[in-house]
Amino acid sequence: MPRPAKRQRSTALYEAILKLRTVDECVHFFEDLCAATELSAMEQRFDVASLLLEGKVYTEIMDATKASSATVSRVNRMLNYGNGSLGDVLARPMPDLSQYDD
C-alpha cells in the first residue's frame, strides 16, 4: 500500500508566532492553541534541551524535569543530529521586549 502524500507545510502558524510581543501573550497564545499535555511536553523538551546544553548529565536532567530517559535521549539526538535551530535559539540573548510595554 503506498504511503499517503505528505501534507504541505503551512507557514501561517509560524508567521503568527512571530507577531507575539510579550511572554504573557505567547503563553496565552499557546494555551489557546495546544492541549495541556502537548504544551507540557514541549516545555519539558525545551527544558531538557537547555540542561543538555549546560552540560548536565541525564540523571540530573531527569530529576530536574521529571522527563524519562527516552525523552532526554530523544532531545539529545535532536540537538546532535537535528538542524541546529533549537541550540541556536537557546544561545541567543533574550531580546529587549520593553518596546512593547503598554
Side-chain angles (χ1 to χ4, degrees):
M1 176 181 239
R3 291 180 97 174
K6 189 174 181 179
R7 185 174 87 82
Q8 186 172 347
R9 179 168 292 178
S10 168
T11 61
L13 169 64
Y14 308 103
E15 292 166 4
I17 292 168
L18 289 172
K19 295 177 186 178
L20 300 171
R21 298 184 304 195
T22 67
V23 173
D24 282 342
E25 188 176 27
C26 191
V27 167
H28 294 143
F29 176 84
F30 280 98
E31 285 176 341
D32 285 348
L33 183 65
C34 300
T37 54
E38 293 169 326
L39 193 50
S40 178
M42 286 192 297
E43 291 168 348
Q44 184 183 62
R45 288 192 298 267
F46 189 86
D47 291 341
V48 167
S50 297
L51 294 171
L52 283 166
L53 290 171
E54 288 176 14
K56 303 291 184 192
V57 297
Y58 276 34
T59 53
E60 290 176 295
I61 295 168
M62 291 165 51
D63 288 342
T65 65
K66 306 303 181 216
S68 68
S69 59
T71 296
V72 177
S73 179
R74 187 178 315 116
V75 172
N76 191 47
R77 271 194 316 276
M78 179 271 312
L79 286 172
N80 289 312
Y81 303 108
N83 63 32
S85 181
L86 181 57
D88 291 346
V89 170
L90 283 166
R92 292 179 192 161
M94 185 66 179
D96 178 14
L97 300 176
S98 63
Q99 65 183 341
Y100 299 112
D101 290 340
D102 293 337

